Amino acid sequence: MAPVEAEQHPRSALALAAHDASGRLSPIRISRRDTGDDDVAIQILYCGICHSDLHTVKNEWKNANYPVVPGHEIAGLITEVGKNVKKFNVGDKVGVGCMVNTCQSCESCEEGHENYCSNIIFTYNSHDRDGTVTYGGYSDMVVVNERFVIQFPDGMPLDKGAPLLCAGITVYNPMKYHGLNEPGKHIGVVGLGGLGHVAVKFAKAFGMRVTVISTSPEKREEAMETLGADAFVVSSDANQMKAVKGTMHGILNTASASMSMYSYLALLKPHGKMILLGLPEKPLQISAFSLVAGGKTLAGSCMGSIRDTQEMMDFAAKHGLTADIELIGTEEVNEAMERLAKGEVRYRFVIDVGNTLSAASLASSPVPAL
Ligand SMILES: NC(=O)c1ccc[n+]([C@@H]2O[C@H](COP(=O)([O-])OP(=O)(O)OC[C@H]3O[C@@H](n4cnc5c(N)ncnc54)[C@H](OP(=O)(O)O)[C@@H]3O)[C@@H](O)[C@H]2O)c1
Ligand SMILES: [Zn+2]
Ligand SMILES: [Zn+2]
């Protein structure tokens, strides 16, 4: 399809916003910027619900800029391209993850690790270059600089692929950069939620041995039979933990709540690495002895670069790897947030934005504008 020159006016979009720390989401009209020369406009069809959305709307990280429109697992179709846009055409299936811009000139940006740019602009709850607050994907459209847009590979479904744009890259990145993607190595995954379940799938696709370490005994069967984990350990069961002590080359820790690290670090082999991905608001409890004895490493990792995100999507498409999702309508989003807080999701909620967030679907209730 031939590129269409962008219309030059800001436009109103429908969105779901939280207005205070209750985190309750309700429809609102927001304003999106013009489609600039380097931008694409995207009609959002699906958006995953990440636990970071929940932390943010409830102001657990004490950084909410209300009203917050969350959502950084965005999948949809390009509806407009700016005149300098090279990578995309109208009609392309695309995604947007956790960031929508960076400084593009610092060391991290120049090395291709722009996810660590100190001037990163996150997809929502962040200050854009024009000073406005960014609004995420619980919305019917978004305008994004083409550099921060991911092409959906052939065969990758938009709904089940959307969660890969945050959950997928967040687990793929540390596996790649910490050598935890080598066949035969043993990896532990702490927390079988949105991040954890795709971590199991990537680890199996890399040919690794995977053990899930969970607080939820009822997830055992699914973890092993559906997701393909080799073993499942309940973290509160000292005997089960002892059986895998000192066996793991690495652990991806996706727990969303604070924990004592002692029994988890004991599962690593000497020189083993635990990579923190979860972002609980409270500090973790850790003893120096847990790391020093055994020469272990504790590291953190934050999502991934655009280049690595595209690589991850292409790898996932090649291996038929997608997220296990529960598709919900916008009217179910508050209930979904409550269920996510209780760990009652198998394994990612995805909002069917395309079919349930439209002026027609919201006609019965007035939608306030910002
Ligand atoms: N680093 C990054 O770039 C990045 C990116 C995305 C998300 N995050 C963060 O990663 C965390 C997980 O996100 P998610 O979307 O995967 O959340 P999620 O779907 O809610 O999964 C989190 C899992 O953590 C486990 N868990 C909960 N409380 C726990 C506790 N007290 N002790 C041990 N495990 C516990 C549960 O698994 P079990 O039932 O199996 O125990 C739960 O399913 C969140 O804090 C999120 O903000 C970070
Ligand atoms: Zn996320
Ligand atoms: Zn930078």
Side-chain angles (χ1 to χ4, degrees), residues 27 32 82 154 200 204 238-239 312 337 354 356 364 366:
R32 297 289 195 188
D154 285 345
V200 172
K204 289 314 295 177
N239 286 333
M312 174 279 305
M337 284 291 191
T356 65
S364 55

Side-chain angles (χ1 to χ4, degrees), residues 49-55 61 72-73 98 166-167 170 189-197 212-219 232 235 253-259 264 276-281 300-304 340-341 343-348:
I49 300 184
C50 176
H51 204 115
S52 299
D53 301 352
L54 183 61
H55 288 304
W61 295 332
H72 57 205
E73 293 181 341
C98 304
C166 172
T170 299
V189 175
V190 175
L192 196 63
L195 267 57
H197 92 286
V212 172
I213 306 130
S214 173
T215 59
S216 310
E218 68 279 6
K219 292 181 183 170
F232 183 94
S235 51
N253 187 340
T254 77
S256 51
S258 181
M259 51 160 66
Y264 293 93
L276 295 178
L277 302 174
L279 289 163
E281 66 277 22
S301 184
C302 189
M303 45 194 201
L340 177 61
E344 284 174 15
V345 49
R346 302 290 188 274
Y347 282 93
R348 197 56 133 190

